[in-house]
């Protein structure tokens, strides 16, 4: 109290000088000012240590000593607040103040002194009137959280470092092995995408979800379709493979970004694992090549190319006809089936663009069905509207009459299969037309070959519906008993009435029966006259 009395008197003398000088910056810069602080010593307080508490002290004092700062102390148990001037070079209640350069009085807990004791110091006028409490939980929680998270952070950094080192070493070894100068793409997890099972067939995922793209080098263009181009390409094998060729030849079908829908349809058809069949193109993976603005489908590569080009260049033996015809029927029957050969349920699929250029010839001289860009999964959930919206699709030359007329029976999903069977009949006719067993074999011609190169729907309607035309089957062909039976199969498959057509499954059986037909020796054509380029 003695000090308070002195201060009030002193105040009278100095306050005048102070108020004259305050606001006069030039003078302030020259003379260091005595601070003006709240100075009530101890007062009762209602502060609850949250937000800002007011000191409730109405007495101001110009500090006696020039270096003194404003100080406030709050005691939780006593519920008192103390406001004073204090020289920070001296201890205050036994502690050295370290926040006296602050402009505001931010309360600090001095636990070592007394856990209920908070002190703040500051340098601006009356700054110890407002006692600022920062959220205690935050202040206390930060170090606790940091300490708790430290092992997790250290572990994460360790794992990332180990993975990074492992990957860099694998890449390094790979480059050393292949003398690779630095690929545009690296191996990533090729093995998990394309591996081989015990039978040597390639196992696949439907989509390459790795951020890194497969290490594929495109070689030559081998096909050009409506939606995409097909390239022969080299897929580098992953380094872990021992005794395996350093690359695998694959086909890459490249869709420009405008044909995204086609890529998506074909990918969705291929991604059904139950589609796998020896006569259906083997799918490896799909990739979104964002940098090039392209969508890729990576599949098996068949060096003999498509059936149309193959037939254009070669004559076939009777045995070869049987092999091609029956394998094509097996491929279509598998596509249409709603069960796998093992009896597992499978979604039936229709191709809707079956033609000789969408069939590849495998090395074992069997057919391989490809190009599922117009395929449709006959999901039981598909509504009639959805089927109707799928529209009139395909290639006019190979379209069944009911498709040409857009009169397909949407109530019955079998109708879509019947339309595929019609198209298959035309392909079987093309195969037969190039078989030496028919006698005099002409140059290759597509079905309805006299029509222009890409006949439109209207001219096909004139031929197929109005004139009920079908490709010619001369009587001379039927001198060969086997060919005669094949021609009967073809005729039953292109019937005007979709319901009257054979199923693909029946066609297999008819071909199977033909394997056992004992042809007379004169009907057998010596095999060394066929199979060569014409
Ligand atoms: N043309 C289209 N697809 C092909 C493939 N997978 N192999 C060879 N030629 C093709």
């Amino acid at each position: 109290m003695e000090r308070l009395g002195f201060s009030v008197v002193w105040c009278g003398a100095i306050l005048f000088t102070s108020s004259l000088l305050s606001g006069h910056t030039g003078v302030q810069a020259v003379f260091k000012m005595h601070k003006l602080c709240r100075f009530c010593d101890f007062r009762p307080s209602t502060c609850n240590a949250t937000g800002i508490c007011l000191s409730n002290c109405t007495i101001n004092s110009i500090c006696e000593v020039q270096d003194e700062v404003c100080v406030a102390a709050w005691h939780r148990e006593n519920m008192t607040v103390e406001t004073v001037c204090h020289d920070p070079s001296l201890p205050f209640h036994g502690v050295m103040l370290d926040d006296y350069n602050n402009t505001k009085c931010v309360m600090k807990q001095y636990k070592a002194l007394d856990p209920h004791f908070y002190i703040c110091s500051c340098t601006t006028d009356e700054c110890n009137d407002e006692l600022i409490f920062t959220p205690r939980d935050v202040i206390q929680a930060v170090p606790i959280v940091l300490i708790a998270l430290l092992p997790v952070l250290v572990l994460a950094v360790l794992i990332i470092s180990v993975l990074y080192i492992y990957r860099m070493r694998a890449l390094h070894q790979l480059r050393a092995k292949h003398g690779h100068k630095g690929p545009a793409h690296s191996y990533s997890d090729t093995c998990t995408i394309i591996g081989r099972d015990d039978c040597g067939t390639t196992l696949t995922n439907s989509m390459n979800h790795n951020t890194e793209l497969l290490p594929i080098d495109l070689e030559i263009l081998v096909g050009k379709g409506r939606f995409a181009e097909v390239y022969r390409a080299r897929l580098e094998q992953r380094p872990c493979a021992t005794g395996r060729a350093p690359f695998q030849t694959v086909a890459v079908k490249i869709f420009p970004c405008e044909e995204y829908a086609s890529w998506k349809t074909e990918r969705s058809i291929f991604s059904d694992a139950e589609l796998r069949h020896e006569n259906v193109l083997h799918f490896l993976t799909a990739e979104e090549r964002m940098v090039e603005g392209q969508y890729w489908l990576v599949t098996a590569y068949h060096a003999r190319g498509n059936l149309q080009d193959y037939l254009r260049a070669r004559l076939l033996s009777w045995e070869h006809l049987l092999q091609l015809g029956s394998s094509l029927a097996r491929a279509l029957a598998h596509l249409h089936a709603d069960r796998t050969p093992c009896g597992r349920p499978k979604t039936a699929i229709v191709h809707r663009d079956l033609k000789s250029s969408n069939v590849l010839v495998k090395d074992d001289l069997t057919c391989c069905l490809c190009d599922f860009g117009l395929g449709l999964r006959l999901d039981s959930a598909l509504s009639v509207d959805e089927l109707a919206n799928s529209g009139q699709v395909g290639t006019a030359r190979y379209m069944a009459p009911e498709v040409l007329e857009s009169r397909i029976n949407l109530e019955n999903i079998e109708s879509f299969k019947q339309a595929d069977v019609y198209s298959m009949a035309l392909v079987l006719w093309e195969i037969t037309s190039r078989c030496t067993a028919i006698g005099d074999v002409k140059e290759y011609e597509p079905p309805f070959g006299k029509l222009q190169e890409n006949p439109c729907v209207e001219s096909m309607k004139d031929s197929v519906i109005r004139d009920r035309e079908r490709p010619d089957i001369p009587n001379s062909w039927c001198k060969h008993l086997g060919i005669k039976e094949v021609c009967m199969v073809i005729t039953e498959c292109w019937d005007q009435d979709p319901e009257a057509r054979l199923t693909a499954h029946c066609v297999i059986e008819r071909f199977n029966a033909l394997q056992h037909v004992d042809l007379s020796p004169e009907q057998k054509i010596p095999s060394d006259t066929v199979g060569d380029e014409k």
Side-chain angles (χ1 to χ4, degrees), residues 364-375:
D364 62 1
L365 304 184
T366 60
C367 286
C368 179
L369 195 50
C370 69
D371 202 333
F372 297 93
L374 293 176

Side-chain angles (χ1 to χ4, degrees), residues 367-534:
C367 286
C368 179
L369 195 50
C370 69
D371 202 333
F372 297 93
L374 293 176
L376 181 68
R377 288 165 60 82
L378 298 177
D379 214 299
S380 50
L382 276 180
S383 67
V384 168
D385 281 351
E386 280 170 310
L387 290 173
N389 286 341
S390 67
Q392 181 191 51
V393 295
T395 304
R397 188 189 293 280
Y398 289 83
M399 272 182 194
E402 67 277 13
V403 178
L404 287 166
E405 279 191 304
S406 297
R407 281 166 60 117
I408 195 156
N409 179 4
L410 301 174
E411 301 287 341
N412 181 6
I413 56 169
E414 293 302 309
S415 330
F416 289 91
K417 299 181 189 174
Q418 290 155 358
D420 271 352
V421 167
Y422 171 93
S423 312
M424 179 174 69
L426 298 184
V427 179
L428 291 176
W429 175 87
E430 286 174 80
I431 295 171
T432 311
S433 73
R434 297 294 286 158
C435 177
T436 49
I438 63 170
D440 185 21
V441 183
K442 297 207 203 103
E443 287 277 297
Y444 168 81
E445 262 200 4
F448 306 104
K450 64 178 189 319
L451 298 176
Q452 76 252 42
E453 205 184 334
N454 287 312
C456 63
V457 169
E458 285 313 310
S459 51
M460 286 312 300
K461 272 163 105 173
D462 289 347
S463 297
V464 173
I465 301 167
R466 188 192 63 200
D467 304 336
R468 296 209 165 204
E469 274 183 30
R470 294 294 186 271
D472 190 27
I473 299 182
N475 283 337
S476 58
W477 288 18
C478 300
K479 287 186 195 147
H480 185 284
L481 287 182
I483 296 286
K484 188 176 177 189
E485 168 62 5
V486 170
C487 290
M488 283 172 62
V489 170
I490 292 172
T491 316
E492 287 175 67
C493 286
W494 67 31
D495 201 293
Q496 198 79 4
D497 176 7
E499 300 273 335
R501 290 175 205 150
L502 298 178
T503 62
H505 190 77
C506 276
V507 177
I508 300 178
E509 287 179 353
R510 299 278 285 267
F511 269 107
N512 283 347
L514 272 173
Q515 315 268 0
H516 308 112
V517 168
D518 188 19
L519 297 171
S520 60
E522 65 271 18
Q523 290 187 333
K524 287 191 175 165
I525 314 291
S527 53
D528 55 359
T529 62
V530 293
D532 301 328
E533 303 257 335
K534 211 183 159 216

Side-chain angles (χ1 to χ4, degrees), residues 27 45 58 72 88 133 204 215 221 249 264 300 303 328 376 379 395 457 503 505 509:
V27 181
S45 161
T58 50
F133 289 85
T204 61
L221 182 71
T249 300
K264 204 164 151 238
L328 178 60
L376 181 68
D379 214 299
T395 304
V457 169
T503 62
H505 190 77
E509 287 179 353

Side-chain angles (χ1 to χ4, degrees), residues 125-385:
D125 283 351
E126 302 168 54
C127 61
N128 61 344
D129 185 37
E130 284 190 348
L131 319 182
I132 301 169
F133 289 85
T134 50
R136 196 179 57 230
D137 291 347
V138 172
I139 292 175
Q140 287 171 355
V142 167
I144 294 169
V145 169
L146 274 181
I147 290 165
L149 281 181
L150 198 64
V152 181
L153 287 174
V154 169
L155 199 67
V157 169
L158 265 176
I159 291 173
I160 291 169
S161 311
V162 167
L163 286 177
Y164 181 76
I165 291 167
Y166 175 79
R167 222 186 98 70
M168 291 316 285
R169 280 187 57 187
L171 262 178
H172 187 75
Q173 282 168 1
L174 174 76
R175 288 200 182 125
K177 192 171 162 196
H178 295 290
H180 219 278
K181 292 180 278 322
H185 24 238
S186 56
Y187 286 90
S188 70
D189 298 323
T190 308
C191 248
T192 59
I193 295 164
I194 301 175
R196 281 169 200 267
D197 66 12
D198 293 344
C199 322
T201 24
T202 310
L203 300 174
T204 61
N205 288 351
S206 64
M207 182 78 192
N208 177 7
H209 290 287
N210 294 303
T211 47
E212 286 179 49
L213 301 167
L214 287 177
I216 293 179
D217 287 325
L218 301 180
E219 292 183 326
I220 51 162
L221 182 71
V222 292
K224 215 167 159 61
R226 223 176 321 175
F227 308 119
E229 289 180 337
V230 180
Y231 287 81
R232 188 184 75 196
R234 276 173 174 227
L235 167 65
E236 287 182 48
Q237 294 290 29
R238 72 186 285 242
C240 61
T242 47
R244 199 186 280 177
F247 65 86
Q248 180 184 351
T249 300
V250 293
V252 179
K253 188 167 179 180
I254 302 183
F255 298 73
C257 55
E258 313 84 76
E259 300 301 346
Y260 170 77
S262 264
W263 172 80
K264 204 164 151 238
T265 306
E266 194 159 2
R267 187 194 65 176
S268 79
I269 301 259
F270 270 135
S271 54
D272 182 350
E274 303 299 359
L275 180 65
R276 297 172 66 80
H277 186 273
E278 58 184 343
N279 301 111
V280 172
L281 183 61
H282 202 106
F283 173 62
L284 300 179
T285 194
E287 286 189 343
E288 298 184 40
R289 296 259 168 168
M290 285 318 177
V291 176
E292 298 99 326
Q294 294 172 343
Y295 296 94
W296 287 19
L297 293 178
V298 185
T299 65
Y301 175 75
H302 296 291
R304 293 179 188 271
N306 76 49
L307 181 63
Q308 184 171 48
D309 294 339
Y310 188 82
L311 294 177
R312 211 188 296 278
R314 288 172 189 81
L315 296 182
L316 311 176
S317 67
W318 162 246
E319 288 77 14
H320 195 178
L321 175 154
L322 277 188
Q323 223 165 352
L324 288 173
S326 61
S327 57
L328 178 60
R330 286 198 296 276
L332 193 65
H334 176 71
L335 205 67
H336 287 177
D338 52 16
R339 297 238 157 232
T340 64
C342 316
R344 282 193 304 272
K346 160 187 173 294
T347 305
I349 296 168
V350 282
H351 190 285
R352 302 198 298 173
D353 198 18
L354 185 45
K355 54 183 174 181
S356 52
S357 58
N358 282 344
V359 174
L360 298 168
V361 180
K362 290 185 25 166
D363 284 340
D364 62 1
L365 304 184
T366 60
C367 286
C368 179
L369 195 50
C370 69
D371 202 333
F372 297 93
L374 293 176
L376 181 68
R377 288 165 60 82
L378 298 177
D379 214 299
S380 50
L382 276 180
S383 67
V384 168
D385 281 351

